[in-house]
Amino acid sequence: MEKAVDLDVLARRTPGFTGADLENLLNEAAILAARKNKKQLGMQDAEEAIDRILAGPAKKSKIISEKEKEMVAFHEVGHALLAKLLPNADPVHKISILPRGFALGYTLQLPLEDKYLITKEELLERIIVFLGGRVAEELVFNELSSGAHNDLERATELARRMVCEYGMSNLGVRTFGKQNRQVFLGKDLGEQKDYGNVTADAIDKEVSIIFSKCYEQARYLLSKNRDKMAAIAKELREKETMEGEDFNKYFDLIKPEEIAPIEPPKTDQGPLFA
Ligand code: ZN
C-alpha cells in the first residue's frame, strides 16, 4: 500500500509556496498518478511533483558513465552520512542520483520543525554536511569532480556569514560590511565595505580556519564510517532513489561510538566546537 499524502511533510518541503503554487503541485501530482492508472493520489506522486517543480523532470535518458554514477552516489552518501552522524543536522528525507535539471543527484534534509534561530554548532554542522560530497569523492576515488562547485560556494557563504554577520569568530561580536540586499527585488546589490584591508585579511583568515576545521571533521567522520558509506552507496546505485527510511535502516544497529561523542581531529587550530 502506498503511503497517503502527508500534508505536514508537504508543507515542510515547500516553504514559500503560494496557494497557486500548491494548486499547481497537486495538479501535477494528479497527472502523474493518472499516468500510472492510479485511483488515488499517493505520497510518491506528491514527492515526484515537488521534485519536478523544484528541479525539473528526471532525465532518465541523460547519458552518464558508470564511473560518474558511482562518483555521484558516493558524493550524495557523503552528505547524507554526515547529516546522520552530526547531532544537530536536519534528518535525511531522501537521496537521489536521478539527474534532474543541472543536478546529477541530490540529498534532501528536512527539519523536524520550523526553525527561526540557528546556533553556531548548527551552522558548523551545515558546513560539514556541505563538504561531505567533496570529501567522499576524495576518500573513495582520490579524485575531485566539479560536482561539488555549488556545495563549496554555499559552505563558503555560510562561513563568511558566521564571521561577518553573526559575530561567531575570533574577530569578536561585531559585524563587518553592510549587505545591500533588496529582498523584494530578489537582488543582492553587493557589500558596502566598512573596514580596512588589514581587517579584510583577518576575515579571510577566519573563514579559512572555519573551512579547514570543517573539512577535517568531515574527513574524520567519513573515513571512520567508510564501510557504511560503501554499503549505502551500493544500494543507492541500484535503486537510484532512497527514502529516509531506507537510509535509516543502516543505523538500526549503530554503535554509540559511531555517533557520539565526536572526537575532534587533531589540529593545530584548536578544537572545532570551542
Ligand atoms: Zn553535493
Side-chain angles (χ1 to χ4, degrees):
M1 244 313 255
E2 194 190 335
K3 263 190 281 176
V5 176
D6 182 334
L7 291 176
D8 186 46
V9 171
L10 272 197
R12 275 184 287 130
R13 281 211 59 191
T14 53
F17 269 45
T18 61
D21 293 335
L22 287 171
E23 198 180 319
N24 182 23
L25 167 73
L26 290 173
N27 275 333
E28 181 91 28
I31 294 168
L32 292 169
R35 272 193 207 146
K36 292 183 215 149
N37 294 320
K38 283 160 61 173
K39 296 213 165 56
Q40 254 178 348
L41 259 185
M43 193 56 190
Q44 231 179 355
D45 308 310
E47 290 266 5
E48 173 64 18
I50 296 173
D51 289 344
R52 277 173 170 256
I53 289 169
L54 295 181
K59 294 182 181 159
K60 293 210 180 192
S61 58
K62 191 162 184 163
I63 297 166
I64 299 174
S65 73
E66 290 302 306
K67 165 92 190 284
E68 278 173 324
K69 267 196 179 161
E70 184 88 3
M71 250 180 144
V72 176
F74 272 96
H75 178 108
E76 296 308 328
V77 176
H79 290 306
L81 197 51
L82 290 176
K84 181 77 192 178
L85 293 171
L86 292 163
N88 300 293
D90 291 330
V92 174
H93 181 70
K94 196 185 204 177
I95 322 172
S96 170
I97 54 166
L98 272 181
R100 274 179 201 277
F102 292 109
L104 293 180
Y106 66 87
T107 298
L108 182 72
Q109 292 169 258
L110 269 193
L112 293 172
E113 56 202 1
D114 289 338
K115 275 186 199 162
Y116 301 100
L117 284 174
I118 175 160
T119 64
K120 183 178 175 188
E121 279 68 30
E122 286 170 324
L123 286 167
L124 287 170
E125 291 186 9
R126 279 192 192 178
I127 298 177
I128 299 173
V129 173
F130 277 140
L131 297 176
R134 161 58 66 96
V135 172
E137 290 177 16
E138 191 186 301
L139 279 175
V140 178
F141 302 94
N142 201 16
E143 247 180 278
L144 303 174
S145 81
S146 58
H149 168 70
N150 186 251
D151 298 333
L152 298 180
E153 220 170 60
R154 291 165 77 186
T156 311
E157 169 68 16
L158 264 189
R160 269 204 97 74
R161 284 193 171 184
M162 287 180 72
V163 178
C164 297
E165 294 178 31
Y166 310 143
M168 292 176 180
S169 77
N170 294 320
L171 299 183
V173 190
R174 65 151 283 190
T175 61
F176 298 98
K178 286 196 180 68
Q179 294 299 325
N180 292 322
R181 289 205 189 92
Q182 294 203 351
V183 180
F184 56 93
L185 289 178
K187 272 186 193 161
D188 194 340
L189 300 177
E191 184 201 54
Q192 193 185 324
K193 215 169 147 189
D194 61 357
Y195 49 83
N197 289 339
V198 176
T199 308
D201 288 346
I203 291 173
D204 283 343
K205 197 171 163 227
E206 286 298 316
V207 170
S208 327
I209 290 176
I210 293 178
F211 217 82
S212 61
K213 282 184 184 176
C214 289
Y215 205 91
E216 274 181 67
Q217 189 83 15
R219 241 192 111 87
Y220 171 79
L221 284 172
L222 290 184
S223 20
K224 228 181 139 193
N225 290 279
R226 242 188 127 115
D227 293 348
K228 202 154 258 165
M229 180 162 68
I232 303 169
K234 186 168 177 276
E235 184 175 337
L236 179 60
R237 186 76 184 69
E238 288 157 11
K239 286 188 168 171
E240 298 191 305
T241 295
M242 274 170 92
E243 301 298 327
E245 291 155 24
D246 304 327
F247 172 72
N248 281 325
K249 71 176 192 289
Y250 282 91
F251 300 88
D252 287 347
L253 296 170
I254 196 161
K255 300 177 201 93
E257 66 267 25
E258 278 177 298
I259 299 191
I262 296 163
E263 190 184 309
K266 301 273 175 290
T267 158
D268 52 4
Q269 288 152 340
L272 175 58
F273 300 114

